[in-house]
Amino acid sequence: MHNPQLNAHGELTHLLSIEGLPRAVIIHILDTASSFLKVSHRDVKKVPLLRGKSVFNVFFENSTRTRTTFEIAAKRLSADVINLDVTRSSTAKGETLLDTVDNLVAMHADMFVVRHASSGAPHLIADHLRRVGRDNVHVVNAGDGRHAHPTQGLLDMYTIRHYKNDFANLVVAIVGDILHSRVARSDIHALTTLGAAEVRAVGPQTLLPSAIEKMGVRVCHDLRTGIRDCDVVIMLRLQNERMNGALLPSAREYFRCYGLTPESLALAKTDAIVMHPGPMNRGVEIDSDVADGPQAVILPQVTFGIAVRMAVMGILAGN
Amino acid sequence: MQHLHIRNARLIDPRNGVDEQLDLFIADGRIAAIGRPATDFAAQRTIDAAGMIVCPGLVDLSARLGGIEPELGAAVAGGVTSLACPPDSKPLLDEPGLVERLVRRSDTLGLARVYPIGALTQQLAGERLAEMNSLARAGCIAFSQAKQAIVDTQLLLRAMQYAATFGYAVRLRPQDDFLAREGVAHDGEVASRLGLTGIPVAAETVATATALQLAAHTGVRLHLSRLSSAAAIELIRQARCAGMPVTCDVAVHHLHLSEMDIGYFDSNARFDPPLRSASDRDALRAAVAEGLAAICSDHTPVDADGKQLPFAEALPGATGLELLLPLTLLWARQTKLPLAVALARVTSDPATILGLDAGSLTVGGPADVCLFDPEESWCVTPEALRSQGKHTPFLGYEVSGRVRMTLVGGRIVFAA
């Protein structure tokens, strides 16, 4: 099948999903991020890679945090950044997604960073740009529905590589609401592509998508089994609306069964790291003692996230 | 009325078990003779159909019309001479006056024959029974809820009892509303990978089992539309073995496609019910081959505005009237099924289900005829389709089987 993210030379033209990305492309992004990390530590935190380019942050779904990290990354690459909060403007007036895109293309956008509540929306935009002959405009998926959040997946891989060096012998547990999580799907694709020894999906049946084992994960319904002897624990955010009784009886019961506490974390390897895409619900999916403890690498994830997003934008602009 | 003589064709009539080189003679809108004409037959027009197949005009169990004229034009271009039209049109077919208007309009056009399916409940809301008797007098040949479910099972029971009172057939598309809530794709590996909300097979089996139980209780003539799963087919098989006269159909795209055809969010592959797993598809193919289910086009014209949207927001459905014959032929070739058996699924079988005097080439019967070139291949493109619906996952397919002529009541309504 035609891979919509790669051009005829196998180079990345859009970042829509980690699914289908060759291992070499992922490694290249992580290596590039490594070099950009140094930029963030300098007094002058800028490189001129995207000078004169316009990056449009088009968020059809609110997310101040993700938008800010993309904005910082683009600005450190010297791009002009335009933030559009589309939830409150065009679509509210009845404009279709592709009409909005056409208008922004007419304003000479060079790159779209798109967040949308519907799975597949960035694919639709990339496909549309190809059909109207605007292959020179790049699309970065900043989260689409439950489908993918590829830059989060990449920054998670960056974090894991930073602390564990290699993926070959790693056991990674992803715990929580995998059903609604685009982060989980991106992490699973990335980890299986990079050759992690075992990826475990841990949660109650109501929060696991059907046939998830087809993505190459081992399903564990018991937290203790899921965490035992693992190297990396990725906790997922449990959104408040999931706790209304339809999927889970209560936050209290969820924490009792699936919350990460110092006691449950003790089952993992002693040097295991704890990750979380944020924002955290302390006392719901993670105990504060773990979140603030020595094994948590949640804030470094945020720092690495800027460098990874710089790498993605820099590579796309060059292709 | 013209006297027509169609010669040199291979004549396939599944109902009468005919498949051989035979001439067809038509007079006064009816089949006058097959093979040899009456001595006084004088043809005003002779059509040489060497290399062609002559079969009964196709009978489509489910086609939505949208614009009546272009879609009925598409029907005859696809060899379809009779079609049943579900009640979820705009306006809904829940008022006798609206049904009469549709019948009058299609009669005036004189293209394919249109058989309206009336609404089982007012506004299809599943709350109050529709005026079935008045609707039947206006021309409805059966009653259904189209895509809507009747959540209130007591009302469903009452609707079946009332329909059974008059001997009307009830058609249901079995899908449990709660289990299918917000679902847009088969609840399986593709939906899970793409992050789409799934519709579990149980949504279909639960509703099928409910419908079968209530139909057995009421004795209503039940037809289940557009089954999508192996498990639901199995329920039908069991009911039939137990002697229940239930019938069902499968949409032609479900014979060829599976969840995998969604690819990267192709909204042309968004269907209701959804494309399911490859093993479901194989079970549907087997069920149709053995005659447990008929084939329908599930023709649903959707315009670009309805499809150029993220997958979950796009409208379900595809154009199908002009693909019904070629896709049925493709399935027959792939499964090495005799043509007469395959054509039965789109002619005599649906005619029997609908209780129509159609779908056969019987002397004295209406001359609804399809004449096609089985070898001529063509590419499915928007330009090649007469329907206003240009969206189908089969765009770009090279298919065999081109309709050359369609007759309705002995009149040539399409020729190419």
Side-chain angles (χ1 to χ4, degrees), chain A residues 4 19 118-119 147 185 209-210, chain B residues 187 192-195 264 309-310 313:
Chain A
E19 184 190 1
S118 264
S119 301
H147 170 236
R185 287 174 176 80
S210 52
Chain B
D187 188 35
S192 291
R193 189 162 45 79
L194 295 180
Y264 292 109
L309 291 168
E313 296 167 33

Side-chain angles (χ1 to χ4, degrees), chain A residues 4-73:
Chain A
Q5 332 186 64
L6 305 178
N7 66 16
H9 311 293
E11 298 162 337
L12 199 67
T13 53
H14 306 293
L15 180 67
L16 307 175
S17 164
I18 300 214
E19 184 190 1
L21 284 194
R23 182 189 156 87
V25 169
I26 297 179
I27 298 291
H28 177 50
I29 294 170
L30 300 185
D31 290 346
T32 309
S34 224
S35 65
F36 281 135
L37 195 61
K38 299 181 189 87
V39 173
S40 301
H41 293 301
R42 295 199 312 229
D43 278 351
V44 179
K45 298 183 176 58
K46 276 205 177 195
V47 287
L49 210 58
L50 262 63
R51 181 175 290 160
K53 303 278 186 192
S54 300
V55 174
F56 282 57
N57 280 329
V58 195
F59 278 54
F60 294 89
E61 189 184 67
N62 280 323
S63 168
T64 313
R65 180 186 304 224
T66 304
R67 203 203 62 206
T68 306
T69 59
F70 273 103
E71 186 175 348
I72 294 168

Side-chain angles (χ1 to χ4, degrees), chain A residues 1-4 19 97-98 116 118-121 123-124 131 144 146-147 185 189 209-211 214-215, chain B residues 182 187-189 191-198 260 263-265 267 305 307-313:
Chain A
M1 198 186 299
H2 163 72
N3 190 325
E19 184 190 1
L97 171 59
L98 295 183
H116 200 286
S118 264
S119 301
H123 277 80
L124 180 74
R131 273 186 285 114
D144 62 327
R146 306 172 181 184
H147 170 236
R185 287 174 176 80
H189 283 305
S210 52
K214 294 268 173 67
M215 286 179 73
Chain B
E182 290 169 19
D187 188 35
E189 64 173 295
S192 291
R193 189 162 45 79
L194 295 180
L196 298 170
T197 308
M260 296 298 173
Y264 292 109
F265 304 98
S267 60
D305 289 348
K307 284 292 187 188
Q308 306 228 321
L309 291 168
F311 189 87
E313 296 167 33

Side-chain angles (χ1 to χ4, degrees), chain B residues 345-365:
Chain B
R345 306 296 175 257
V346 288
T347 57
S348 49
D349 291 357
T352 304
I353 289 167
L354 293 170
L356 300 179
D357 182 13
S360 78
L361 300 174
T362 305
V363 173

Side-chain angles (χ1 to χ4, degrees), chain A residues 47-109:
Chain A
V47 287
L49 210 58
L50 262 63
R51 181 175 290 160
K53 303 278 186 192
S54 300
V55 174
F56 282 57
N57 280 329
V58 195
F59 278 54
F60 294 89
E61 189 184 67
N62 280 323
S63 168
T64 313
R65 180 186 304 224
T66 304
R67 203 203 62 206
T68 306
T69 59
F70 273 103
E71 186 175 348
I72 294 168
K75 283 182 169 164
R76 288 196 181 154
L77 294 171
S78 310
D80 296 320
V81 183
I82 298 93
N83 289 315
L84 285 114
D85 185 356
V86 201
T87 45
R88 279 199 287 270
S89 57
S90 327
T91 42
K93 292 174 193 156
E95 190 174 62
T96 69
L97 171 59
L98 295 183
D99 283 340
T100 305
V101 167
D102 285 339
N103 274 280
L104 299 178
V105 168
M107 296 175 201
H108 301 290

